[in-house]
């Protein structure tokens, strides 16, 4: 057991669970919604490249059942997501996809 503070002791199982919670993927999946009909994956890539954001996967627009609206999903480096802010169009709504905690990664686009 590991003793923390005065009266709280963590079992080895709780310590391992706490360590697993801190493991965050190097990549993050973002869902882009509220875009115009002319927006496609090439247009999204253009904005990402202009902002020097590392991107490895982009989808064509599809109907997201969870969000109930047309969506484009992108997989980018978490460090870029947290530190860089490309000049996205003001109408785009960008949200992290918390369902995909360990996204599929491929070569950079």
């Amino acid at each position: 057991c590991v003793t923390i503070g005065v009266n709280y002791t963590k079992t080895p199982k709780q310590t391992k669970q706490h360590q697993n919670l801190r493991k965050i993927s190097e990549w993050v999946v973002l869902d882009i919604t509220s875009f115009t009909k002319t927006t496609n994956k090439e247009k999204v890539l253009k904005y990402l490249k202009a902002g020097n954001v590392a991107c490895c996967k982009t989808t064509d627009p599809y109907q997201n059942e969870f969000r109930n609206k047309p969506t484009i999903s992108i997989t980018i480096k978490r460090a870029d997501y947290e530190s860089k802010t490309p000049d996205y169009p003001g109408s785009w709504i960008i949200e992290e996809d918390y369902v995909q905690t360990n996204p599929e990664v491929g070569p950079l686009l």
Side-chain angles (χ1 to χ4, degrees), residues 33-44 60-62 70-72 91-92:
T33 57
S34 298
F35 49 84
T36 62
K37 290 182 181 182
T38 60
T39 303
N40 56 23
K41 69 188 219 177
E42 287 78 24
K43 192 172 188 178
V44 172
D60 287 316
Y62 67 95
T71 305
I72 295 176
S91 64
W92 289 7

Side-chain angles (χ1 to χ4, degrees), residues 23-40:
K23 290 182 183 176
I24 297 176
S25 176
E26 182 181 347
W27 296 85
V28 62
V29 176
L30 302 178
D31 289 337
I32 302 171
T33 57
S34 298
F35 49 84
T36 62
K37 290 182 181 182
T38 60
T39 303
N40 56 23

Side-chain angles (χ1 to χ4, degrees), residues 44 89 98 101:
V44 172
Y98 293 108
T101 55

Side-chain angles (χ1 to χ4, degrees), residues 54-94:
C55 178
C56 71
K57 187 176 178 185
T58 308
T59 66
D60 287 316
Y62 67 95
Q63 185 66 29
N64 186 323
E65 293 177 16
F66 176 70
R67 300 194 190 283
N68 198 26
K69 51 179 88 167
T71 305
I72 295 176
S73 293
I74 58 174
T75 305
I76 65 172
K77 278 199 174 254
R78 182 172 296 278
D80 289 349
Y81 171 60
E82 293 173 351
S83 65
K84 297 181 181 177
T85 53
D87 192 19
Y88 295 117
S91 64
W92 289 7
I93 297 174
I94 301 171

Side-chain angles (χ1 to χ4, degrees), residues 1-2 9-20:
C1 291
V2 177
T9 304
K10 278 189 174 184
T11 65
K13 184 179 178 182
Q14 289 173 324
T15 303
K16 184 171 174 81
Q17 287 174 344
H18 182 69
Q19 288 171 346
N20 286 342

